[in-house]
Amino acid sequence: ACFAPVNASPLAWVALVPLLLLVRMEHRTRWMYTAIYGSSLLGQLATLQWMRLGDPTMYIAWVALSFYVALYFVAFVAVTRVAVHRWSVPLVLAAPVVWTGLEFARAHLLTGFSWYYLGHSQYRWLEVIQVSDLVGAYGVSFVIAASSAALALLVPHSWMIRFKLVHPSTGPVTATGLTLGQLVQVTAAVVLFGSVLGYGYVRRAQADFQPGPRVALIQGNFLA
């Protein structure tokens, strides 16, 4: 829903939160990765459904590509869990690094499929995507994933205990309901987002566009 035709771009900032709550769990459940793949597959089938409109044979490509892209969501949770629980990497760092790395891999493996990055969903928020002049669309995806990780950390630990996702003995030790480490991570994500947004406003204020012709680029449709 973050992408066309719905274009509900704000959803991109919370889209990874359910997956990151699974990362917060100490032990994976029996059907966790199966459920992730199944739900991801349904999402990709909906996102890529336009592929079938070109030719009847494209139904095969549509389904095949959906099966392939859905694997990246499983890889995201699996690798991030290893980084957080085995290597003790902070979630706010692990999540964006893994997600952005997988986007880069998807753009190059098997000839590449560099569509539907998280950053692409923000094409109408110019102040946020302005940082692309330094780090490209990958940088925007990094910021969104880091923000999602911070939101996942803000989900009350009591909720995680209530749904038996974590053990009660791992509860927070601060009055805010967050551990000191989680507070630091959330603060870092807020600073990162604020810095990117501030950079966008500053850079756009420096623009001095002169009146000139309007140019449009339209993709051609050539029959094979």
Side-chain angles (χ1 to χ4, degrees), residues 17-18 20-21 24 148-160 163 165 172 177-178 182 186:
V17 172
L20 292 171
L21 290 178
R24 282 183 58 182
S148 295
L151 291 175
L153 290 175
L154 290 175
V155 173
H157 197 79
S158 59
W159 293 9
M160 303 285 288
F163 290 101
L165 299 178
L178 298 174
Q182 290 172 332
V186 172

Side-chain angles (χ1 to χ4, degrees), residues 126 130 200 202-214:
L126 301 184
Q130 179 61 52
V202 171
R203 287 287 288 143
R204 293 200 68 216
Q206 296 172 346
D208 183 20
F209 296 107
Q210 301 297 323
R214 293 179 178 270

Side-chain angles (χ1 to χ4, degrees), residues 51-62:
M51 293 181 60
R52 62 188 171 82
L53 303 177
D55 187 89
T57 59
M58 290 300 292
Y59 275 87
I60 299 175
W62 166 41

Side-chain angles (χ1 to χ4, degrees), residues 33 89 130 150 159 164 193:
Y33 290 121
V89 180
Q130 179 61 52
W159 293 9
K164 299 181 179 180
F193 173 76

Side-chain angles (χ1 to χ4, degrees), residues 40-105:
S40 300
L41 176 59
L42 292 177
Q44 293 307 310
L45 287 171
T47 302
L48 302 175
Q49 57 81 29
W50 54 268
M51 293 181 60
R52 62 188 171 82
L53 303 177
D55 187 89
T57 59
M58 290 300 292
Y59 275 87
I60 299 175
W62 166 41
V63 174
L65 185 59
S66 298
F67 271 92
Y68 167 66
V69 176
L71 290 171
Y72 283 89
F73 291 83
V74 178
F76 169 65
V77 174
V79 176
T80 306
R81 283 182 57 83
V82 171
V84 170
H85 296 290
R86 184 175 301 177
W87 299 338
S88 299
V89 180
L91 181 63
V92 166
L93 177 60
V97 168
V98 174
W99 181 269
T100 307
L102 289 173
E103 283 189 346
F104 183 83

